[in-house]
């Protein structure tokens, strides 16, 4: 796994051994966060991965004004999804930087991993990760069932607590926010959002997950910038 700059045109600059994302960029983004974010206001930190030209980019960003500021990133030396060790490696510097802030780590269905959620909970970090519809859960006093078997219809919201997630891992004492939005970007949605979280209620969880759209805007900005 390597850590070149987010825009590949800066590669010669960052190739100097004394310069790196950790040594040069992290102090800058830390200053920006201190300047623009109050410690009494919650931050939303989004994990995402995208295939950009020949690069498999994995990035963690803080959401600001419906955009995202990249905090830390890696270009994975493979195609396809990131794994738990890669996710932990990317998140550790972010967790250290934001230890005095109230923040939530959010991610789409690539980050549905029970192991990642369990690790973040052990680190004392709040999370909201969208789950795949075929994920198995167990509610108190009930048998295991797939998320898609929950009785939901467009417009419905549910917040389930004390949920055990997946038969094999059995990660319990977490919550699941379910929301079937009627439309998104003027189109009907085929299925609900199923969001695994350790936040306390439905409204907090939905606000956190909705905030992650800022990273999609950042990717679009980068594409327009570098072509």
């Amino acid at each position: 796994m390597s850590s070149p700059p987010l825009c590949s045109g800066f590669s010669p600059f960052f190739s100097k051994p004394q310069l790196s994302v950790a040594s040069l960029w992290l102090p800058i983004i830390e200053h920006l966060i201190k300047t623009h974010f109050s410690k009494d206001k919650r931050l939303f930190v989004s994990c995402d991965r995208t295939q950009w030209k020949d690069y498999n980019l994995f990035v963690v960003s803080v959401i600001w004004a419906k955009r995202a500021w990249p905090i830390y990133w890696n270009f994975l030396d493979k195609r396809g999804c990131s794994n738990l060790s890669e996710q932990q490696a990317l998140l550790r510097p972010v967790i250290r930087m934001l230890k005095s802030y109230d923040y939530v780590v959010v991610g789409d269905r690539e980050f549905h991993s029970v192991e990642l959620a369990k690790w973040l909970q052990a680190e004392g970090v709040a999370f909201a990760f969208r789950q795949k519809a075929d994920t198995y859960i167990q509610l108190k006093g009930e048998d295991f069932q797939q998320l898609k078997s929950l009785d939901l219809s467009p417009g419905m919201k549910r917040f389930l607590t004390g949920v055990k997630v997946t038969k094999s891992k059995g990660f319990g004492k977490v919550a699941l926010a379910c929301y079937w939005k009627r439309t998104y970007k003027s189109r009907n949605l085929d299925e609900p959002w199923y969001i695994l979280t350790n936040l306390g209620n439905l409204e907090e969880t939905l606000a956190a997950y909705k905030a992650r759209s800022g990273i999609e805007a950042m990717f679009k900005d980068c594409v327009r910038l570098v072509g």
Side-chain angles (χ1 to χ4, degrees):
M1 185 190 303
S2 58
S3 300
L6 194 55
C7 292
S8 58
F10 292 107
S11 294
F13 181 65
F14 274 82
S15 65
K16 298 180 184 298
Q18 69 271 29
L19 299 177
S20 67
V21 175
S23 65
L24 186 61
W25 178 249
L26 284 182
I28 294 173
I29 196 68
E30 185 173 12
H31 174 74
L32 289 172
I33 289 172
K34 286 180 178 178
T35 302
H36 292 279
F37 292 91
S38 169
K39 290 189 177 181
D40 60 1
K41 185 177 180 180
R42 173 168 285 170
L43 278 66
F44 300 107
V45 175
S46 180
C47 299
D48 214 332
R49 184 190 58 82
T50 189
Q51 191 69 37
W52 178 61
K53 296 186 178 181
D54 294 328
Y55 299 105
N56 192 7
L57 172 63
F58 181 24
V59 60
V60 179
S61 303
V62 62
I63 305 301
W64 181 78
K66 297 185 178 180
R67 284 297 191 273
W69 294 348
I71 301 176
Y72 200 58
W73 61 89
N74 276 318
F75 285 90
L76 304 180
D77 54 3
K78 64 178 185 180
R79 299 186 71 86
C81 296
S82 58
N83 59 38
L84 177 62
S85 62
E86 291 162 343
Q87 293 161 4
Q88 289 173 322
L90 203 69
L91 283 165
R92 283 190 181 102
V94 179
I95 291 172
R96 288 194 295 269
M97 177 188 295
L98 299 179
K99 61 184 178 182
S100 61
Y101 289 86
D102 174 21
Y103 67 98
V104 184
V105 176
V106 298
D108 63 12
R109 283 172 287 193
E110 177 169 335
F111 305 94
H112 71 286
S113 164
V114 169
E115 292 95 334
L116 177 60
K118 189 173 183 178
W119 176 71
L120 286 173
Q121 180 143 300
E123 294 288 326
V125 176
F127 60 83
F129 294 135
R130 188 173 174 187
Q131 303 294 292
K132 296 181 178 180
D134 60 359
T135 300
Y136 278 92
I137 65 164
Q138 185 180 40
L139 305 178
K140 187 175 181 180
E142 298 184 16
D143 294 331
F144 275 99
Q145 60 181 313
Q146 289 183 312
L147 288 173
K148 60 186 176 185
S149 69
L150 294 174
D151 187 19
L152 297 172
S153 58
M156 285 187 63
K157 300 177 180 179
R158 293 181 68 183
F159 192 73
L160 308 173
T161 58
V163 178
K164 185 176 181 180
V165 188
T166 78
K167 291 181 178 181
S168 58
K169 304 300 180 184
F171 180 37
K173 296 183 180 179
V174 288
L176 186 77
C178 307
Y179 177 36
W180 197 332
K181 197 172 183 179
R182 293 185 185 276
T183 59
Y184 181 67
K185 295 182 178 178
S186 302
R187 61 182 176 85
N188 294 327
L189 297 184
D190 296 331
E191 64 180 30
W193 289 347
Y194 305 105
I195 305 171
L196 186 70
T197 187
N198 55 357
L199 293 171
N201 58 60
L202 178 70
E203 290 71 25
E204 280 186 287
T205 307
L206 294 181
Y209 189 74
K210 289 176 182 178
R212 72 164 295 278
S213 62
I215 201 167
E216 297 173 358
M218 183 196 75
F219 285 145
K220 291 178 181 177
D221 291 342
C222 287
V223 169
R224 284 195 292 266
L225 178 65
V226 302

